[in-house]
Amino acid sequence: MNYLLKNIENPNSFDVREYEKAGGYRSLKKAVEMEPAAIIAEVKKSGLRGRGGAGFPTGMKWTFANADPKFPKYLICNADEGEPGTFKDRPILEKNPHLLIEGMVISGHALRAEYGYIYLRGEYPDARDILNRAIKQAYEKGYLGDNVMGKGLKFHLTVHLGAGAYICGEETALIESLEGKRGQPRIKPPFPVNVGAFSMPTIVNNVETFSNIPCIMEIGPEAYSKIGSPDCPGPKLYCISGHVEKPGVYELPMGTTLREIIYTHCGGIKGGKSLKAVIPGGISTPVLPPSNIDCPMDFVSMPKHGSMLGSGAVMVFDETVCLVKVCLRALKFFEHESCGKCTPCREGTGWLRSILSRIEDGKGEKEDIDTLLDVSGNIVGKTFCPLGDGAGSVVINFIKHFRPEFEEHIEKKGCKYKK
Amino acid sequence: MLSDKTIEEVEALKRRYPDPRGAILPSLYIAQREFGWLSPEAFEAVSIVLGVPKAHLRGVASFYAMYRHKPVGRHLIQLCTNVSCMIFGAEDLVSLLKNRYGAEVGGTSPDGRFSLVIMECIGACEAAPAMLVNEDFHNNLTENNITEILEKYK
Ligand SMILES: Cc1cc2nc3c(=O)[nH]c(=O)nc-3n(C[C@H](O)[C@H](O)[C@H](O)COP(=O)(O)O)c2cc1C
Ligand code: SF4
Ligand code: FES
């Protein structure tokens, strides 16, 4: 049973009439009859955790925002989807936009927020047009506007287009960017739930998080909490790329093992080759060797298996891939996307990239591996935001699991995988 | 200067935010569309409509990769070379674009036809390698089909 990707086989699934025909906006009808506090209580009870990467309990975030007496409050949907390997929000944005809109209107009612923004990455022009059309339809149908569902509730929604900066996915950088500034993270606390956009209490949630709200309303928090892992329930979108037979976005119960995802749903390794490594949750999450793929893919289990769920972006590498090169490409990314605010990340990512580059080119020195670990160790835990931690831990984990491959590059003065 | 119609578009945007500065990013996009890139005239125009100093606008714009800080060719190729695209040969495509069209990374082909920008994951990793040409997605690129695809962009 699909909740998030329901009906997307229908070529007109993005249209409000098709969405209504498939049962859409019924949860909103239910929600507008409820007290805001009762909706928050249901979300809390459901056990929903944010799908943007950190897995923070949504009900708790909402409770904090609700407790702040300042108004107006703002609701922001994080549709920046910038973590390399991630394309899970895209089918919702392009094929099921009304699910997101419905989720946001319900959330707006629950949190007594009258203005919502969808911060959409600039690289998704199709989603921009589809969302804008869907929003227009929702206004026409009375799901948005000054009198939502004729109940006197106000909720307005605007798509705000980002402009190609990965760091703007981090919620405080996103808020800066929404306010028309350079997207550099803010110090926390204060947290956005107290001092967010335009200095007001602000709730930032991921596309997939908001899209779970109609489902919780529809089937009730008890039934919802029985889907997937007990301490981390619900349906989850996993997006798989790289060397599998059937890459794509799959809606599965939270906590499906990495092995089941790769071998059962994605048809195994492409061309019958063997598995060499997996990055399970987007480029910022620690790489895993094949021996670790029996881990349940949820926010609570993954750290026990040496990685993180992150955005649920699984990148699969077969035996032909040079992992030094993958690690190098990851660090080029971090160096490019470092916002420059703090020194360990701004300088450290460049150092790591240049050492990795030298190793890949066959000019590495024996001490380079230790230097990589030393520099990484001086980034992790010492940066302003998690981007820097991610960069350092990527290097540490590639070396931890695949050190012989780095050593071989240095000893043999080059990469044996190069064509 | 911006046309009356465009100014109206920016004014409507301003009303979507509690502070008109919220409209800076979208207005820069509009100016870019009207002027082709963020030229001094483009900044001047946005500065007037939003009432925000040009220096602030420049500072903001320079942070973001998708604003064009110099004139671009007739078509903008945004090719992803991040990991999922790299393992399916994206780097060979970069070389091909250079050799065949003379489009260097960050530059424009001598005939002004293509500008090339390298992207960090455009969310099409399931069909890698992928690129955006202007606003069109093209997936599952190979050295053969990429030239066919680019034929459409004269
Ligand atoms: C560098 C960085 C990039 C991030 N990128 C995204 C992103 O693209 N999309 C997203 O939803 N969350 C992203 N996050 C997480 C957000 O900061 C935030 O935790 C999330 O939007 C909260 O929503 P949730 O509770 O629904 O997950 C990023 C965090 C960091 C540190
Ligand atoms: S860790 Fe990196 S991205 Fe984050 S604030 Fe510091 S420099 Fe910016
Ligand atoms: S890595 Fe190229 S589109 Fe994601």
Side-chain angles (χ1 to χ4, degrees):
Chain A
M1 170 85 189
N2 274 352
Y3 295 100
L4 307 170
L5 301 183
K6 186 173 160 185
N7 207 30
I8 65 159
E9 304 306 328
N10 176 343
N12 294 315
S13 60
F14 54 81
D15 189 272
V16 71
R17 283 161 300 222
E18 298 299 315
Y19 183 67
E20 286 171 334
K21 253 191 249 163
Y25 286 112
R26 244 188 278 160
S27 296
L28 176 61
K29 272 187 196 113
K30 205 160 151 186
V32 293
E33 303 296 341
M34 290 168 68
E35 284 300 318
I39 303 175
I40 296 176
E42 297 231 322
V43 171
K44 217 169 174 176
K45 206 162 148 195
S46 74
L48 171 65
R49 282 169 187 264
R51 305 297 200 234
F56 192 81
T58 307
M60 203 189 285
K61 184 184 283 186
W62 287 19
T63 305
F64 293 147
N66 191 47
D68 195 293
K70 294 192 293 298
F71 283 92
K73 293 183 181 171
Y74 296 108
L75 198 66
I76 299 178
C77 171
N78 191 340
D80 200 45
E81 187 144 273
E83 177 72 16
T86 313
F87 49 99
K88 71 177 179 72
D89 293 338
R90 203 172 154 192
I92 297 179
L93 298 165
E94 292 183 356
K95 299 195 173 134
N96 219 351
H98 286 285
L99 178 70
L100 171 62
I101 296 172
E102 181 175 12
M104 287 190 77
V105 183
I106 297 171
S107 310
H109 173 44
L111 292 151
R112 292 173 293 166
E114 296 180 337
Y115 292 90
Y117 297 92
I118 299 174
Y119 189 101
L120 177 70
R121 67 185 312 211
E123 293 87 340
Y124 282 178
D126 297 340
R128 174 199 63 203
D129 294 344
I130 291 163
L131 277 173
N132 277 323
R133 194 164 52 216
I135 288 174
K136 191 160 167 274
Q137 288 185 326
Y139 270 102
E140 284 160 11
K141 288 267 183 179
Y143 298 130
L144 287 171
D146 287 328
N147 187 11
V148 173
M149 314 274 304
K151 295 282 169 192
L153 301 167
K154 182 166 153 183
F155 195 70
H156 290 275
L157 197 52
T158 301
V159 176
H160 184 97
L161 208 61
Y166 165 65
I167 191 59
C168 290
E170 193 282 330
E171 56 185 9
T172 62
L174 183 153
I175 289 170
E176 289 280 298
S177 180
L178 182 78
E179 292 181 352
K181 299 176 191 151
R182 295 166 74 86
Q184 290 187 315
R186 292 177 180 172
I187 192 101
K188 297 194 245 189
F191 291 95
V193 288
N194 301 117
V195 184
F198 310 104
S199 306
M200 292 317 236
T202 301
I203 301 91
V204 184
N205 278 125
N206 172 257
V207 173
E208 190 187 342
T209 311
F210 281 124
S211 300
N212 269 274
I213 303 297
C215 165
I216 295 171
M217 292 284 119
E218 186 186 324
I219 65 174
E222 289 84 6
Y224 180 92
S225 64
K226 292 200 176 71
I227 304 171
S229 306
D231 41 10
C232 203
K236 173 77 193 109
L237 297 178
Y238 298 102
C239 47
I240 298 88
S241 62
H243 294 128
V244 290
E245 288 289 350
K246 291 181 286 177
V249 182
Y250 293 83
E251 178 176 339
L252 298 168
M254 179 73 92
T256 306
T257 67
L258 199 45
R259 181 181 299 280
E260 183 182 334
I261 292 173
I262 295 173
Y263 287 95
T264 310
H265 301 286
C266 295
I269 307 305
K270 208 175 159 98
K273 292 213 170 64
S274 64
L275 175 65
K276 183 170 181 184
V278 191
I279 296 179
I283 202 97
S284 309
T285 61
V287 64
L288 292 174
S291 54
N292 276 24
I293 65 167
D294 287 303
C295 46
M297 285 278 282
D298 66 46
F299 292 109
V300 181
S301 309
M302 288 304 281
K304 297 179 196 155
H305 290 81
S307 193
M308 291 186 295
L309 179 59
S311 59
V314 180
M315 302 157 99
V316 179
F317 307 112
D318 74 12
E319 57 197 276
T320 67
V321 175
C322 169
L323 294 177
V324 176
K325 196 172 170 191
V326 171
C327 186
L328 166 63
R329 185 62 188 83
L331 265 291
K332 279 186 185 164
F333 163 76
F334 288 117
E335 181 187 20
H336 184 252
E337 298 301 330
S338 169
C339 83
K341 186 162 180 155
C342 60
T343 317
C345 168
R346 184 188 62 235
E347 304 299 323
T349 50
W351 281 106
L352 292 174
R353 188 265 309 142
S354 92
I355 298 167
L356 286 162
S357 197
R358 163 162 102 205
I359 296 176
E360 173 67 7
D361 290 343
K363 297 183 190 119
E365 315 267 339
K366 241 194 159 129
E367 313 77 59
D368 278 352
I369 298 179
D370 288 335
T371 311
L372 284 172
L373 290 173
D374 184 42
V375 175
S376 302
N378 277 301
I379 299 177
V380 176
K382 296 186 173 69
T383 58
F384 202 84
C385 89
L387 186 146
D389 294 327
S393 90
V394 161
V395 173
I396 291 171
N397 282 281
F398 265 100
I399 295 177
K400 177 171 157 196
H401 296 298
F402 301 99
R403 189 172 182 126
E405 194 163 330
F406 287 79
E407 289 167 347
E408 199 184 341
H409 274 75
I410 294 170
E411 281 157 23
K412 304 247 166 81
K413 301 201 182 310
C415 175
K416 68 175 180 194
Y417 298 94
K418 261 197 189 130
K419 279 177 278 173
Chain B
M1 275 306 291
L2 294 169
S3 67
D4 287 348
K5 194 162 162 268
T6 312
I7 291 175
E8 192 33 57
E9 201 181 339
V10 175
E11 289 295 337
L13 272 174
K14 265 158 81 175
R15 290 192 288 272
R16 314 287 308 180
Y17 302 87
D19 180 324
R21 289 190 181 221
I24 289 178
L25 263 67
S27 303
L28 288 172
Y29 270 121
I30 291 175
Q32 175 162 292
R33 184 190 73 205
E34 297 296 310
F35 292 88
W37 63 293
L38 290 180
S39 59
E41 295 76 29
F43 281 118
E44 178 80 39
V46 175
S47 169
I48 292 169
V49 196
L50 292 183
V52 173
K54 274 179 287 184
H56 180 79
L57 296 177
R58 276 214 187 82
V60 172
S62 66
F63 187 83
Y64 297 94
M66 291 182 78
Y67 293 123
R68 302 175 198 158
H69 304 284
K70 55 187 181 194
V72 292
R74 291 195 296 286
H75 304 288
L76 180 62
I77 301 174
Q78 303 185 93
L79 177 71
C80 172
T81 64
N82 208 300
V83 171
S84 291
C85 287
M86 178 188 85
I87 61 173
F88 287 109
E91 288 170 343
D92 298 337
L93 302 176
V94 177
S95 315
L96 180 143
L97 292 175
K98 185 178 159 199
N99 296 336
R100 193 173 163 120
Y101 303 99
E104 302 267 358
V105 172
T108 302
S109 59
D111 60 0
R113 185 173 166 202
F114 294 121
S115 291
L116 174 63
V117 175
I118 297 301
M119 301 297 278
E120 297 290 0
C121 190
I122 54 176
C125 336
E126 64 187 311
M131 67 174 173
L132 275 158
V133 181
N134 305 326
E135 295 201 334
D136 312 328
F137 269 100
H138 298 284
N139 303 333
N140 292 316
L141 300 173
T142 64
E143 290 183 81
N144 290 327
N145 70 17
I146 192 168
T147 45
E148 260 167 62
I149 292 166
L150 290 175
E151 271 311 296
K152 283 188 292 194
Y153 301 90
K154 290 295 176 194

